[in-house]
Short mmCIF file of all heavy atoms in Angstrom, two decimals:
data_model
loop_
_atom_site.label_atom_id
_atom_site.label_comp_id
_atom_site.label_asym_id
_atom_site.label_seq_id
_atom_site.Cartn_x
_atom_site.Cartn_y
_atom_site.Cartn_z
N MET M 1 0.82 -1.19 0.00
CA MET M 1 0.00 0.00 0.00
C MET M 1 0.86 1.25 0.00
O MET M 1 0.48 2.26 -0.56
CB MET M 1 -0.93 -0.05 1.22
CG MET M 1 -2.08 0.88 1.14
SD MET M 1 -3.11 0.37 -0.24
CE MET M 1 -4.47 1.44 -0.01
N ALA M 2 2.02 1.18 0.64
CA ALA M 2 2.91 2.34 0.68
C ALA M 2 3.46 2.64 -0.71
O ALA M 2 3.67 3.81 -1.05
CB ALA M 2 4.04 2.10 1.66
N ALA M 3 3.68 1.61 -1.50
CA ALA M 3 4.19 1.82 -2.86
C ALA M 3 3.16 2.56 -3.72
O ALA M 3 3.52 3.41 -4.55
CB ALA M 3 4.55 0.49 -3.50
N LEU M 4 1.89 2.25 -3.53
CA LEU M 4 0.83 2.93 -4.28
C LEU M 4 0.77 4.41 -3.90
O LEU M 4 0.68 5.28 -4.77
CB LEU M 4 -0.51 2.25 -4.03
CG LEU M 4 -1.71 2.87 -4.74
CD1 LEU M 4 -1.52 2.76 -6.24
CD2 LEU M 4 -2.99 2.19 -4.30
N ALA M 5 0.85 4.71 -2.62
CA ALA M 5 0.82 6.10 -2.17
C ALA M 5 2.03 6.86 -2.69
O ALA M 5 1.92 8.02 -3.12
CB ALA M 5 0.77 6.15 -0.65
N LEU M 6 3.18 6.22 -2.68
CA LEU M 6 4.40 6.86 -3.19
C LEU M 6 4.30 7.11 -4.70
O LEU M 6 4.70 8.16 -5.19
CB LEU M 6 5.60 5.97 -2.87
CG LEU M 6 6.96 6.60 -3.00
CD1 LEU M 6 7.11 7.77 -2.05
CD2 LEU M 6 8.03 5.56 -2.72
N THR M 7 3.73 6.18 -5.43
CA THR M 7 3.56 6.32 -6.87
C THR M 7 2.60 7.46 -7.19
O THR M 7 2.86 8.28 -8.09
CB THR M 7 3.04 5.02 -7.48
OG1 THR M 7 3.96 3.97 -7.19
CG2 THR M 7 2.86 5.14 -8.98
N VAL M 8 1.50 7.54 -6.47
CA VAL M 8 0.53 8.61 -6.68
C VAL M 8 1.15 9.96 -6.34
O VAL M 8 0.97 10.95 -7.06
CB VAL M 8 -0.75 8.36 -5.86
CG1 VAL M 8 -1.66 9.58 -5.87
CG2 VAL M 8 -1.48 7.14 -6.39
N PHE M 9 1.91 10.03 -5.26
CA PHE M 9 2.55 11.27 -4.85
C PHE M 9 3.50 11.78 -5.94
O PHE M 9 3.45 12.94 -6.35
CB PHE M 9 3.31 11.06 -3.54
CG PHE M 9 4.13 12.24 -3.12
CD1 PHE M 9 3.52 13.38 -2.62
CD2 PHE M 9 5.51 12.22 -3.25
CE1 PHE M 9 4.27 14.48 -2.25
CE2 PHE M 9 6.27 13.31 -2.87
CZ PHE M 9 5.65 14.44 -2.37
N PHE M 10 4.37 10.91 -6.44
CA PHE M 10 5.31 11.33 -7.48
C PHE M 10 4.61 11.64 -8.80
O PHE M 10 5.04 12.52 -9.54
CB PHE M 10 6.40 10.28 -7.69
CG PHE M 10 7.48 10.36 -6.65
CD1 PHE M 10 7.67 9.32 -5.75
CD2 PHE M 10 8.29 11.48 -6.55
CE1 PHE M 10 8.66 9.39 -4.79
CE2 PHE M 10 9.28 11.56 -5.59
CZ PHE M 10 9.46 10.51 -4.70
N SER M 11 3.52 10.96 -9.10
CA SER M 11 2.76 11.25 -10.31
C SER M 11 2.14 12.64 -10.24
O SER M 11 2.16 13.39 -11.22
CB SER M 11 1.65 10.21 -10.51
OG SER M 11 2.21 8.94 -10.70
N VAL M 12 1.62 13.00 -9.08
CA VAL M 12 1.04 14.33 -8.91
C VAL M 12 2.12 15.40 -9.01
O VAL M 12 1.93 16.44 -9.66
CB VAL M 12 0.27 14.42 -7.58
CG1 VAL M 12 -0.12 15.85 -7.25
CG2 VAL M 12 -0.96 13.53 -7.62
N ILE M 13 3.27 15.16 -8.41
CA ILE M 13 4.38 16.12 -8.48
C ILE M 13 4.82 16.30 -9.94
O ILE M 13 5.02 17.44 -10.40
CB ILE M 13 5.56 15.66 -7.60
CG1 ILE M 13 5.17 15.66 -6.13
CG2 ILE M 13 6.80 16.52 -7.83
CD1 ILE M 13 4.84 17.02 -5.58
N LEU M 14 4.97 15.23 -10.69
CA LEU M 14 5.38 15.33 -12.09
C LEU M 14 4.32 16.03 -12.94
O LEU M 14 4.66 16.82 -13.83
CB LEU M 14 5.67 13.94 -12.66
CG LEU M 14 6.96 13.29 -12.16
CD1 LEU M 14 7.05 11.86 -12.68
CD2 LEU M 14 8.16 14.09 -12.61
N ALA M 15 3.06 15.78 -12.66
CA ALA M 15 1.99 16.46 -13.40
C ALA M 15 1.99 17.96 -13.11
O ALA M 15 1.81 18.77 -14.03
CB ALA M 15 0.63 15.85 -13.04
N LEU M 16 2.21 18.34 -11.87
CA LEU M 16 2.29 19.76 -11.53
C LEU M 16 3.49 20.43 -12.18
O LEU M 16 3.39 21.56 -12.68
CB LEU M 16 2.34 19.94 -10.01
CG LEU M 16 1.04 19.68 -9.26
CD1 LEU M 16 1.26 19.76 -7.76
CD2 LEU M 16 -0.04 20.66 -9.70
N LEU M 17 4.62 19.75 -12.20
CA LEU M 17 5.81 20.31 -12.86
C LEU M 17 5.58 20.48 -14.36
O LEU M 17 5.99 21.49 -14.94
CB LEU M 17 7.02 19.42 -12.61
CG LEU M 17 7.62 19.49 -11.20
CD1 LEU M 17 8.73 18.46 -11.06
CD2 LEU M 17 8.15 20.88 -10.91
N ALA M 18 4.92 19.53 -14.98
CA ALA M 18 4.63 19.63 -16.41
C ALA M 18 3.67 20.79 -16.68
O ALA M 18 3.85 21.53 -17.66
CB ALA M 18 4.04 18.32 -16.92
N ALA M 19 2.65 20.95 -15.84
CA ALA M 19 1.71 22.06 -16.02
C ALA M 19 2.40 23.40 -15.83
O ALA M 19 2.17 24.35 -16.60
CB ALA M 19 0.54 21.91 -15.04
N LEU M 20 3.28 23.51 -14.84
CA LEU M 20 4.01 24.75 -14.62
C LEU M 20 4.96 25.05 -15.78
O LEU M 20 5.08 26.21 -16.20
CB LEU M 20 4.78 24.69 -13.30
CG LEU M 20 3.94 24.77 -12.04
CD1 LEU M 20 4.81 24.53 -10.81
CD2 LEU M 20 3.24 26.11 -11.95
N ALA M 21 5.61 24.04 -16.30
CA ALA M 21 6.50 24.24 -17.45
C ALA M 21 5.71 24.69 -18.68
O ALA M 21 6.16 25.57 -19.42
CB ALA M 21 7.27 22.95 -17.75
N PHE M 22 4.53 24.13 -18.87
CA PHE M 22 3.69 24.54 -20.00
C PHE M 22 3.25 25.98 -19.86
O PHE M 22 3.32 26.77 -20.81
CB PHE M 22 2.47 23.62 -20.10
CG PHE M 22 1.50 24.04 -21.16
CD1 PHE M 22 1.77 23.77 -22.49
CD2 PHE M 22 0.33 24.69 -20.83
CE1 PHE M 22 0.88 24.16 -23.47
CE2 PHE M 22 -0.57 25.09 -21.81
CZ PHE M 22 -0.29 24.82 -23.14
N LEU M 23 2.81 26.37 -18.66
CA LEU M 23 2.39 27.75 -18.43
C LEU M 23 3.54 28.72 -18.58
O LEU M 23 3.39 29.80 -19.16
CB LEU M 23 1.75 27.88 -17.05
CG LEU M 23 0.41 27.18 -16.88
CD1 LEU M 23 -0.03 27.25 -15.43
CD2 LEU M 23 -0.63 27.78 -17.80
N TRP M 24 4.72 28.36 -18.11
CA TRP M 24 5.89 29.22 -18.25
C TRP M 24 6.24 29.41 -19.73
O TRP M 24 6.55 30.51 -20.17
CB TRP M 24 7.07 28.62 -17.49
CG TRP M 24 8.32 29.43 -17.61
CD1 TRP M 24 8.65 30.52 -16.89
CD2 TRP M 24 9.38 29.20 -18.54
NE1 TRP M 24 9.87 30.99 -17.32
CE2 TRP M 24 10.35 30.20 -18.33
CE3 TRP M 24 9.61 28.26 -19.52
CZ2 TRP M 24 11.51 30.27 -19.07
CZ3 TRP M 24 10.79 28.33 -20.26
CH2 TRP M 24 11.71 29.34 -20.02
N ASP M 25 6.16 28.33 -20.49
CA ASP M 25 6.47 28.40 -21.91
C ASP M 25 5.46 29.28 -22.64
O ASP M 25 5.83 30.07 -23.51
CB ASP M 25 6.48 27.00 -22.51
CG ASP M 25 6.87 27.00 -23.98
OD1 ASP M 25 7.90 27.62 -24.30
OD2 ASP M 25 6.14 26.40 -24.78
N GLN M 26 4.19 29.16 -22.31
CA GLN M 26 3.17 29.97 -22.95
C GLN M 26 3.35 31.45 -22.63
O GLN M 26 3.15 32.31 -23.47
CB GLN M 26 1.77 29.52 -22.52
CG GLN M 26 1.38 28.16 -23.04
CD GLN M 26 1.27 28.15 -24.56
OE1 GLN M 26 0.70 29.04 -25.15
NE2 GLN M 26 1.82 27.13 -25.17
N ARG M 27 3.72 31.75 -21.41
CA ARG M 27 3.88 33.14 -20.98
C ARG M 27 5.12 33.78 -21.60
O ARG M 27 5.11 34.95 -21.95
CB ARG M 27 3.97 33.21 -19.47
CG ARG M 27 4.12 34.60 -18.94
CD ARG M 27 4.09 34.60 -17.45
NE ARG M 27 2.79 34.20 -16.98
CZ ARG M 27 1.99 34.98 -16.27
NH1 ARG M 27 2.39 36.16 -15.93
NH2 ARG M 27 0.81 34.55 -15.89
N ASN M 28 6.20 33.03 -21.76
CA ASN M 28 7.47 33.58 -22.21
C ASN M 28 7.73 33.39 -23.70
O ASN M 28 8.83 33.65 -24.16
CB ASN M 28 8.62 32.96 -21.42
CG ASN M 28 8.58 33.38 -19.99
OD1 ASN M 28 8.21 34.50 -19.67
ND2 ASN M 28 8.94 32.47 -19.10
N ARG M 29 6.74 32.93 -24.43
CA ARG M 29 6.94 32.67 -25.85
C ARG M 29 6.95 33.95 -26.68
O ARG M 29 7.53 33.99 -27.74
CB ARG M 29 5.86 31.73 -26.35
CG ARG M 29 6.16 31.18 -27.72
CD ARG M 29 5.41 29.96 -28.02
NE ARG M 29 3.98 30.12 -27.85
CZ ARG M 29 3.11 29.29 -28.34
NH1 ARG M 29 3.50 28.27 -29.04
NH2 ARG M 29 1.83 29.47 -28.14
N GLY M 30 6.32 35.00 -26.23
CA GLY M 30 6.28 36.24 -26.99
C GLY M 30 5.16 36.23 -27.99
O GLY M 30 4.25 35.40 -27.95
N GLU M 31 5.21 37.19 -28.92
CA GLU M 31 4.12 37.32 -29.87
C GLU M 31 4.18 36.30 -30.99
O GLU M 31 3.18 35.97 -31.59
CB GLU M 31 4.12 38.73 -30.47
CG GLU M 31 5.35 39.05 -31.27
CD GLU M 31 5.37 40.48 -31.74
OE1 GLU M 31 5.11 41.37 -30.94
OE2 GLU M 31 5.64 40.68 -32.93
N ASP M 32 5.36 35.81 -31.32
CA ASP M 32 5.49 34.81 -32.39
C ASP M 32 5.48 33.41 -31.79
O ASP M 32 6.18 33.13 -30.84
CB ASP M 32 6.79 35.01 -33.16
CG ASP M 32 6.74 36.24 -34.05
OD1 ASP M 32 5.63 36.74 -34.27
OD2 ASP M 32 7.80 36.68 -34.50
N GLY M 33 4.72 32.55 -32.40
CA GLY M 33 4.68 31.16 -31.97
C GLY M 33 5.68 30.33 -32.74
O GLY M 33 6.42 30.82 -33.60
N TYR M 34 5.70 29.06 -32.43
CA TYR M 34 6.63 28.16 -33.10
C TYR M 34 6.31 28.04 -34.58
O TYR M 34 7.20 27.93 -35.41
CB TYR M 34 6.59 26.79 -32.45
CG TYR M 34 7.03 26.80 -31.01
CD1 TYR M 34 6.17 26.38 -30.01
CD2 TYR M 34 8.29 27.23 -30.66
CE1 TYR M 34 6.57 26.40 -28.68
CE2 TYR M 34 8.70 27.26 -29.34
CZ TYR M 34 7.84 26.83 -28.37
OH TYR M 34 8.23 26.86 -27.07
N ASP M 35 5.04 28.08 -34.94
CA ASP M 35 4.68 27.97 -36.34
C ASP M 35 5.12 29.21 -37.11
O ASP M 35 5.52 29.12 -38.26
CB ASP M 35 3.19 27.71 -36.51
CG ASP M 35 2.34 28.75 -35.81
OD1 ASP M 35 2.87 29.46 -34.94
OD2 ASP M 35 1.13 28.84 -36.13
N ARG M 36 5.09 30.36 -36.48
CA ARG M 36 5.53 31.59 -37.14
C ARG M 36 7.04 31.56 -37.37
O ARG M 36 7.52 32.02 -38.40
CB ARG M 36 5.15 32.80 -36.30
CG ARG M 36 5.53 34.10 -36.93
CD ARG M 36 4.65 34.39 -38.15
NE ARG M 36 5.16 35.55 -38.82
CZ ARG M 36 5.34 35.64 -40.13
NH1 ARG M 36 5.02 34.63 -40.90
NH2 ARG M 36 5.80 36.72 -40.67
N ASP M 37 7.78 31.04 -36.42
CA ASP M 37 9.23 30.93 -36.59
C ASP M 37 9.59 30.03 -37.76
O ASP M 37 10.57 30.28 -38.46
CB ASP M 37 9.89 30.39 -35.31
CG ASP M 37 9.86 31.40 -34.19
OD1 ASP M 37 9.74 32.61 -34.48
OD2 ASP M 37 9.97 30.97 -33.03
N SER M 38 8.81 29.00 -38.00
CA SER M 38 9.10 28.09 -39.10
C SER M 38 8.81 28.73 -40.45
O SER M 38 9.36 28.32 -41.46
CB SER M 38 8.32 26.79 -38.95
OG SER M 38 6.94 27.04 -39.10
N LEU M 39 7.94 29.74 -40.49
CA LEU M 39 7.60 30.41 -41.74
C LEU M 39 8.47 31.63 -42.03
O LEU M 39 8.36 32.23 -43.09
CB LEU M 39 6.13 30.84 -41.72
CG LEU M 39 5.12 29.71 -41.70
CD1 LEU M 39 3.72 30.26 -41.52
CD2 LEU M 39 5.21 28.88 -42.96
N ARG M 40 9.33 32.01 -41.11
CA ARG M 40 10.16 33.20 -41.28
C ARG M 40 11.02 33.18 -42.54
O ARG M 40 11.18 34.22 -43.18
CB ARG M 40 11.04 33.39 -40.06
CG ARG M 40 10.72 34.66 -39.36
CD ARG M 40 11.54 34.73 -38.11
NE ARG M 40 10.62 34.78 -37.01
CZ ARG M 40 10.51 35.81 -36.22
NH1 ARG M 40 11.34 36.80 -36.30
NH2 ARG M 40 9.60 35.84 -35.29
N PRO M 41 11.60 32.06 -42.94
CA PRO M 41 12.40 32.08 -44.18
C PRO M 41 11.57 32.43 -45.42
O PRO M 41 12.11 32.83 -46.43
CB PRO M 41 12.94 30.66 -44.29
CG PRO M 41 12.94 30.15 -42.90
CD PRO M 41 11.76 30.79 -42.24
N LEU M 42 10.25 32.32 -45.35
CA LEU M 42 9.39 32.60 -46.50
C LEU M 42 8.93 34.05 -46.54
O LEU M 42 8.24 34.44 -47.47
CB LEU M 42 8.18 31.68 -46.47
CG LEU M 42 8.49 30.18 -46.50
CD1 LEU M 42 7.20 29.38 -46.38
CD2 LEU M 42 9.25 29.80 -47.74
N ASP M 43 9.27 34.86 -45.53
CA ASP M 43 8.87 36.26 -45.52
C ASP M 43 9.50 36.99 -46.70
O ASP M 43 10.64 36.75 -47.06
CB ASP M 43 9.32 36.95 -44.22
CG ASP M 43 8.44 36.56 -43.05
OD1 ASP M 43 7.34 36.02 -43.28
OD2 ASP M 43 8.85 36.82 -41.90
N GLU M 44 8.75 37.90 -47.28
CA GLU M 44 9.23 38.65 -48.43
C GLU M 44 9.42 40.11 -48.08
O GLU M 44 9.02 41.00 -48.82
CB GLU M 44 8.26 38.50 -49.59
CG GLU M 44 8.15 37.08 -50.11
CD GLU M 44 7.24 36.97 -51.29
OE1 GLU M 44 6.83 38.02 -51.84
OE2 GLU M 44 6.92 35.85 -51.68
N ASP M 45 10.03 40.40 -46.95
CA ASP M 45 10.20 41.79 -46.56
C ASP M 45 11.50 42.38 -47.06
O ASP M 45 11.79 43.55 -46.83
CB ASP M 45 10.08 41.95 -45.04
CG ASP M 45 11.11 41.15 -44.29
OD1 ASP M 45 11.89 40.42 -44.93
OD2 ASP M 45 11.15 41.25 -43.05
N GLY M 46 12.33 41.61 -47.74
CA GLY M 46 13.54 42.13 -48.35
C GLY M 46 14.76 42.12 -47.46
O GLY M 46 15.85 42.43 -47.92
N THR M 47 14.62 41.80 -46.19
CA THR M 47 15.80 41.78 -45.34
C THR M 47 16.37 40.36 -45.30
O THR M 47 15.63 39.38 -45.29
CB THR M 47 15.44 42.20 -43.89
OG1 THR M 47 14.43 41.34 -43.40
CG2 THR M 47 14.95 43.63 -43.86
N PRO M 48 17.69 40.25 -45.30
CA PRO M 48 18.27 38.92 -45.22
C PRO M 48 17.99 38.27 -43.86
O PRO M 48 17.80 38.97 -42.87
CB PRO M 48 19.77 39.17 -45.40
CG PRO M 48 19.97 40.62 -45.19
CD PRO M 48 18.66 41.30 -45.41
N PRO M 49 17.93 36.94 -43.81
CA PRO M 49 17.61 36.26 -42.55
C PRO M 49 18.56 36.58 -41.42
O PRO M 49 18.16 36.63 -40.26
CB PRO M 49 17.67 34.78 -42.91
CG PRO M 49 17.53 34.73 -44.38
CD PRO M 49 18.08 36.01 -44.91
N SER M 50 19.83 36.83 -41.70
CA SER M 50 20.78 37.07 -40.63
C SER M 50 20.52 38.40 -39.92
O SER M 50 20.85 38.56 -38.75
CB SER M 50 22.21 37.05 -41.16
OG SER M 50 22.36 38.06 -42.13
N SER M 51 19.92 39.37 -40.60
CA SER M 51 19.66 40.66 -39.96
C SER M 51 18.39 40.64 -39.12
O SER M 51 18.12 41.58 -38.39
CB SER M 51 19.57 41.76 -41.01
OG SER M 51 18.42 41.56 -41.81
N ARG M 52 17.57 39.59 -39.26
CA ARG M 52 16.35 39.50 -38.47
C ARG M 52 16.54 38.80 -37.14
O ARG M 52 15.62 38.72 -36.36
CB ARG M 52 15.29 38.72 -39.26
CG ARG M 52 14.70 39.55 -40.36
CD ARG M 52 13.56 38.81 -40.97
NE ARG M 52 13.99 38.39 -42.29
CZ ARG M 52 13.54 37.33 -42.92
NH1 ARG M 52 12.66 36.56 -42.36
NH2 ARG M 52 13.97 37.02 -44.11
N LEU M 53 17.71 38.30 -36.87
CA LEU M 53 17.95 37.61 -35.60
C LEU M 53 17.96 38.60 -34.46
O LEU M 53 18.45 39.71 -34.61
CB LEU M 53 19.27 36.85 -35.66
CG LEU M 53 19.35 35.71 -36.66
CD1 LEU M 53 20.74 35.13 -36.68
CD2 LEU M 53 18.34 34.64 -36.33
N PRO M 54 17.41 38.20 -33.31
CA PRO M 54 17.36 39.14 -32.17
C PRO M 54 18.72 39.40 -31.58
O PRO M 54 19.65 38.78 -31.68
CB PRO M 54 16.48 38.44 -31.16
CG PRO M 54 16.31 37.04 -31.60
CD PRO M 54 16.76 36.95 -33.02
#
């Protein structure tokens, strides 16, 4: 029975850590998402890709 309680405890801790990591990622991602970053090479604004890096 102690093994079950220990398993549930660690499962809850891991789930909370995953939820916090997801929320942190959503908050710190900025205005551009991952899909927008993948489309950046297709932009036709005339600037070379190296000058668009932050």
Side-chain angles (χ1 to χ4, degrees):
M1 197 64 173
L4 180 63
L6 195 61
T7 302
V8 170
F9 174 74
F10 280 115
S11 297
V12 169
I13 295 296
L14 287 174
L16 287 174
L17 286 175
L20 288 174
F22 176 77
L23 291 174
W24 179 82
D25 183 50
Q26 291 296 315
R27 181 176 294 243
N28 293 325
R29 192 160 54 164
E31 64 185 47
D32 288 345
Y34 298 120
D35 55 343
R36 182 71 187 133
D37 289 338
S38 67
L39 294 173
R40 244 175 241 245
L42 301 176
D43 285 345
E44 295 183 10
D45 59 357
T47 58
S50 61
S51 66
R52 285 188 251 152
L53 295 175

